[in-house]
């Protein structure tokens, strides 16, 4: 049974491609930040003790919110990219049978993206971060809006 509003298919496909590209960019920058944090993180010798305010989520290139932001952005990026692959199947078939799974995956990805966006906003508020992190913050904030538009498009395809 085809979806009633096939005129939304090109818009949904464009948003899906845009979202997938932005999720991949977030994964690339987030992977870079995680690699730097692991390589340049806090190193302590066996004879020394941990400082009183030691945080295992320490990222040397940002502020106190960077660790949380990077980890949740990576999770949102992986789930978002996977939801885009599910969305590709829905775009290909464009029927009511594939829509619930696609809408569920996209909603979960959007929720995780909103969570990462919250940490991005906190990181912006605390300042002191580099250009790559600012880029990742911008992509996360933009993705929270474009993912919502994608959700509205695939749900709108059921309207008569």
């Amino acid at each position: 049974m085809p979806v009633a509003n096939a005129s939304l298919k090109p818009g949904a496909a464009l948003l899906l491609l845009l979202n997938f590209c932005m999720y991949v960019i977030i994964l690339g920058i987030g992977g870079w930040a995680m690699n730097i944090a692991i390589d340049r993180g806090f190193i302590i010798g066996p004879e020394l003790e941990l400082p009183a305010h030691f945080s295992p989520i320490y990222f040397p290139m940002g502020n106190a919110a960077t660790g949380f932001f990077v980890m949740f952005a990576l999770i949102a990026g992986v789930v978002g990219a996977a939801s885009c692959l599910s969305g590709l199947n829905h775009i290909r078939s464009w029927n009511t049978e594939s829509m619930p799974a696609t809408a569920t995956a996209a909603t979960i990805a959007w929720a995780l993206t909103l969570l990462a966006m919250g940490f991005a906003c906190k990181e912006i508020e605390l300042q002191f971060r580099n250009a790559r992190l600012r880029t990742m913050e911008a992509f996360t904030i933009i993705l929270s809006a474009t993912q919502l538009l994608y959700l509205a498009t695939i749900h709108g395809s059921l309207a008569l």
Side-chain angles (χ1 to χ4, degrees):
M1 174 178 220
V3 173
N5 196 349
S7 65
L8 293 175
K9 186 176 178 179
L14 179 67
L15 284 168
L16 187 69
L17 179 66
L18 176 68
N19 288 350
F20 182 74
C21 292
M22 286 196 287
Y23 277 125
V24 168
I25 290 169
I26 284 177
L27 285 172
I29 297 172
W32 165 83
M34 187 66 75
N35 186 46
I36 294 295
I38 290 170
D39 287 347
R40 299 183 196 163
F42 189 79
I43 300 171
I44 189 163
E47 69 281 350
L48 301 174
E49 300 214 7
L50 290 175
H53 299 287
F54 174 72
S55 172
I57 305 173
Y58 172 71
F59 281 70
M61 78 291 282
N63 55 41
T66 301
F68 296 103
F69 169 59
V70 169
M71 285 195 299
F72 282 102
L74 282 171
I75 293 169
V78 168
V79 174
S83 78
C84 289
L85 296 177
S86 171
L88 185 63
N89 181 49
H90 176 61
I91 295 293
R92 188 182 55 77
S93 62
W94 199 253
N95 59 33
T96 55
E97 287 83 23
S98 65
M99 203 284 268
T102 299
T104 301
T107 302
I108 292 169
W110 180 59
L112 289 170
T113 304
L114 286 178
L115 184 61
M117 185 197 72
F119 285 114
C121 291
K122 184 62 178 178
E123 189 177 46
I124 290 168
E125 178 187 330
L126 295 177
Q127 299 180 349
F128 303 113
R129 66 233 188 263
N130 67 19
R132 289 182 185 168
L133 290 175
R134 285 192 296 269
T135 302
M136 195 161 103
E137 293 161 2
F139 275 105
T140 304
I141 292 168
I142 293 167
L143 254 172
S144 65
T146 58
Q147 186 72 10
L148 179 62
L149 284 174
Y150 172 69
L151 271 169
T153 304
I154 61 174
H155 280 290
S157 67
L158 291 178
L160 294 175

